[in-house]
């Protein structure tokens, strides 16, 4: 039997936002591909729930608030010292905001950008430190089609997700000599808790129109997790600085 090109046996992967949604589903998939998964998020109880879903052994939870961005590099180094170098980083944690620009506050915008953008930069500072990453390693950021396609009332969120694409492109070039690949996955609307947030202020007609805007319908967390795993594994060996759209055809129109 031919070997599975997406097998992650022997790899250790840190997954942020692992307590729910895409982060949780990604962790479950990576464990089924034989990776050792380190789960992080703010809620220990929900991380324990994710841990119970994983296949294999050697997984662990490491609760941490990524809003404490300045502490991330030191935290990352402590993880690597205890666990060993990481082969992969999946940054799925983030905040969502739907708000017309006239209602955006400095405090709210700063919090979202700090969580979605600054945490990414500091995670990569940590990941790229000596002895914190394996000889061949890969980072995947969860961006969004909101960072590529205009949509009313999402300016701050869209800015944060567009920023991740720029960060990935720059770091892909900067970190290539260290053999660290950096890519993004940009999902469309996926059936997670975030879709419930999007659904809230919309009428039935508006929500149905949003679904029709995805020619293949709304996606699932597993659809996105599959793309993340593809980029992490050897199947993504020659891919860096790219953004993989996983949006059911939304951006094709």
């Amino acid at each position: 039997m031919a070997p599975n090109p997406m097998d992650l046996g022997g790899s250790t992967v840190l997954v942020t936002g692992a307590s729910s949604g895409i982060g949780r589903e990604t962790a479950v998939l990576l464990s089924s591909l034989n990776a050792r998964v380190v789960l992080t998020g703010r809620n220990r109880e929900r991380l324990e729930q994710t841990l119970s879903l994983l296949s294999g052994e050697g997984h662990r939870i490491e609760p941490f608030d990524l809003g404490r961005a300045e502490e991330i590099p030191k935290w990352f180094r402590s993880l690597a010292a205890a666990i060993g170098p990481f082969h992969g980083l999946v940054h799925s944690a983030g905040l969502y905001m739907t708000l017309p620009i006239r209602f955006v506050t400095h405090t709210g915008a700063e919090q979202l950008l700090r969580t979605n953008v600054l945490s990414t930069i500091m995670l990569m500072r940590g990941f790229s430190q000596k002895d914190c990453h394996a000889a061949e390693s890969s980072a995947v950021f969860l961006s969004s089609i909101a960072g590529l396609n205009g949509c009313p009332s999402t300016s701050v969120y869209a800015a944060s997700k567009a920023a991740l694409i720029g960060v990935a492109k720059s770091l892909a070039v900067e970190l290539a000599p260290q053999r660290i690949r950096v890519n993004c996955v940009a999902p469309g609307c996926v059936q997670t808790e975030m879709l419930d947030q999007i659904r809230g202020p919309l009428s039935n007609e508006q929500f149905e129109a949003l679904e029709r805007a995805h020619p293949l319908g709304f996606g699932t967390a597993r659809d996105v997790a599959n793309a993340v795993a593809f980029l992490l594994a050897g199947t993504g060996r020659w891919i860096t600085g790219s953004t993989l759209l996983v949006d059911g055809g939304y951006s094709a129109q």
Side-chain angles (χ1 to χ4, degrees):
M1 181 182 295
N4 179 1
M6 291 181 66
D7 182 76
L8 291 167
S11 297
T12 302
V13 182
L14 176 67
V15 180
T16 75
S19 57
S20 64
I22 292 171
R24 171 175 285 177
E25 190 64 26
T26 297
V28 171
L29 175 60
L30 298 182
S31 73
S32 74
L33 292 170
N34 303 312
R36 178 171 62 156
V37 185
V38 180
L39 310 170
T40 192
R42 291 177 296 178
N43 188 310
R44 176 179 288 273
E45 182 178 352
R46 298 187 72 177
L47 290 175
E48 293 280 5
Q49 292 171 2
T50 301
L51 183 64
S52 71
L53 301 173
L54 303 189
S55 307
E57 301 177 344
H59 314 298
R60 59 192 288 170
I61 64 171
E62 293 288 344
F64 188 79
D65 181 2
L66 295 175
R68 294 160 26 211
E70 66 280 358
E71 301 175 27
I72 292 175
K74 181 180 179 180
W75 171 72
F76 208 112
R77 182 177 288 281
S78 70
L79 287 182
I83 301 170
F86 287 86
H87 300 79
L89 165 65
V90 180
H91 187 28
S92 180
L95 295 179
Y96 176 74
M97 176 191 290
T98 302
L99 203 64
I101 190 63
R102 68 183 182 276
F103 296 128
V104 172
T105 65
H106 178 275
T107 300
E110 185 176 59
Q111 180 186 14
L112 188 143
L113 292 170
R114 183 178 183 84
T115 301
N116 290 6
V117 182
L118 186 56
S119 67
T120 306
I121 293 169
M122 300 310 286
L123 276 167
M124 288 306 297
R125 179 179 171 184
F127 188 45
S128 63
Q129 294 174 115
K130 183 180 179 182
D131 299 326
C132 288
H133 61 275
E136 298 277 344
S137 53
S138 173
V140 181
F141 309 153
L142 267 296
S143 180
S144 168
I145 55 168
L148 296 165
N149 292 64
C151 182
S153 302
T154 61
S155 58
V156 180
Y157 177 74
S160 72
K161 293 302 184 178
L164 296 189
I165 294 172
V167 170
K169 285 181 175 292
S170 293
L171 289 181
V173 178
E174 180 177 342
L175 299 179
Q178 295 175 241
R179 309 305 295 175
I180 299 174
R181 297 184 295 105
V182 188
N183 294 288
C184 288
V185 171
C189 288
V190 177
Q191 297 173 52
T192 63
E193 293 174 4
M194 185 177 290
L195 186 59
D196 294 336
Q197 288 181 263
I198 295 171
R199 174 70 179 88
L202 301 180
S203 67
N204 289 337
E205 293 75 14
Q206 290 172 321
F207 189 70
E208 290 169 2
L210 179 61
E211 184 170 17
R212 288 195 300 272
H214 295 70
L216 297 181
F218 294 141
T220 67
R222 178 53 67 98
D223 293 324
V224 182
N226 286 336
V228 172
F230 170 80
L231 290 171
L232 282 177
T235 43
R237 187 194 70 84
W238 208 47
I239 304 173
T240 195
S242 295
T243 298
L244 178 55
L245 302 181
V246 186
D247 64 0
Y250 182 93
S251 60
Q253 302 174 88

